[in-house]
Amino acid sequence: MDTVQAKILDGKKAASVIKEGLKARISKLPEGGRPGLAVVLVGEDPASKVYVGQKEKASVEVGINSFVHKLPAGTTQPELLALIEDLNCDPRVHGILVQLPLPEGFDADAVISAIHPEKDVDGFHAVNVGRLWTGGRAVEPCTPKGIMALLDSTGIELKGLNAVVIGRSNIVGKPISAMLLSRHCTLTICHSRTKDLPSAVRGGDIVVAAVGRPNFVTGDMIKQGAIVIDVGINRVGGKLAGDVEFESASQKASWITPVPGGVGPMTIVMLMKNTLELAGIKQTPGT
Ligand code: NDP
């Protein structure tokens, strides 16, 4: 397929459509039946504070009850675990999210494990990770869930396509790999030890870049007509940059996500969607 200029996969627009659907559903619920999302922030990390603020704002906008717990940097692990236990038992709370990264000294794995799997709105608990890989009813992590929604919005049949994922983190790379595999893509996962990464990426009908390095993926690595999903959020000279060099990649791709306005807004709206799902509120397809 010859492509001159890629079509933009507009995450901001897609997220706002989904958000309106969620809002409409929640508005029909009785006041006491609204879903609740608890977000826990430990310490003063500026980026984490911004992310927590965005999540709180989005919750309020769609009508989810937001419970934000801001704990000082001096909080101890047992104190944090005690709060999680309280939230596990709180019937008003359907989703619990602990903002990562935690300050030094915390055992993030133990903290994630303490969240009840049925309230694990981020889908990071080992039970949900296991269910995701074994095809069970998992809470799907928000960023990969948002990526799948963007891919589906292209209308392209994913079955049988070669998907190349760059990055193997528990938050993005591994779960998006599981989800692409479950949709019958043929999968390649690249990471920092991959030999000849450019040639691996050139085989991708779908390329998902989750590396955390600005402009890491260049147009010469992109197969003509590929769908390019840029997950990266990098700050370069006060501006946001993705992991993909947009200018050159958009000359080759059929579809591409911008940064900002691509995967980021989808991540937040999927957090809202997961909260509703955990509250047991059924949704109509497409919302
Ligand atoms: P991690 O740092 O946890 O993982 C990065 C991955 O990239 C690792 O698997 C690493 O390989 C790989 N990598 C690093 N350098 C290279 C290299 N030179 N060649 C090949 N692979 C390399 O990051 P995350 O997955 O958490 O996030 C990735 C990016 O996505 C970040 O910019 C982050 O800010 C952004 N992000 C955006 C979200 C959104 O909503 N838009 C949500 C979450 C993250 P190895 O495993 O071998 O070390």
Side-chain angles (χ1 to χ4, degrees), residues 197-216:
L197 182 140
S199 77
V201 177
R202 266 180 220 118
D205 301 307
I206 299 168
V207 175
V208 179
V211 190
R213 288 173 183 248
N215 303 320
F216 182 82

Side-chain angles (χ1 to χ4, degrees), residues 143 166-169 171-172 191-193 197 210-213 216 231-234 243 263-264 267:
T143 300
I166 318 173
R168 55 175 167 177
S169 69
I171 293 171
V172 189
H191 45 77
S192 65
R193 278 32 162 232
L197 182 140
V211 190
R213 288 173 183 248
F216 182 82
V231 187
I233 301 178
N234 308 291
D243 288 344
V263 175
T267 297

Side-chain angles (χ1 to χ4, degrees), residues 82-105:
L83 171 62
I84 292 172
E85 194 43 41
D86 285 348
L87 297 172
N88 280 338
C89 300
D90 188 337
R92 298 168 306 163
V93 172
H94 304 94
I96 304 170
L97 179 157
V98 177
Q99 186 64 44
L100 299 175
L102 284 164
E104 228 166 275

Side-chain angles (χ1 to χ4, degrees), residues 66-121:
S66 169
F67 306 96
V68 177
H69 296 264
K70 292 182 179 160
L71 307 181
T75 303
T76 63
Q77 173 105 0
E79 284 167 344
L80 177 56
L81 294 178
L83 171 62
I84 292 172
E85 194 43 41
D86 285 348
L87 297 172
N88 280 338
C89 300
D90 188 337
R92 298 168 306 163
V93 172
H94 304 94
I96 304 170
L97 179 157
V98 177
Q99 186 64 44
L100 299 175
L102 284 164
E104 228 166 275
F106 281 91
D107 178 349
D109 288 341
V111 170
I112 291 167
S113 300
I115 299 171
H116 193 288
E118 300 300 330
K119 291 196 176 188
D120 170 35
V121 73

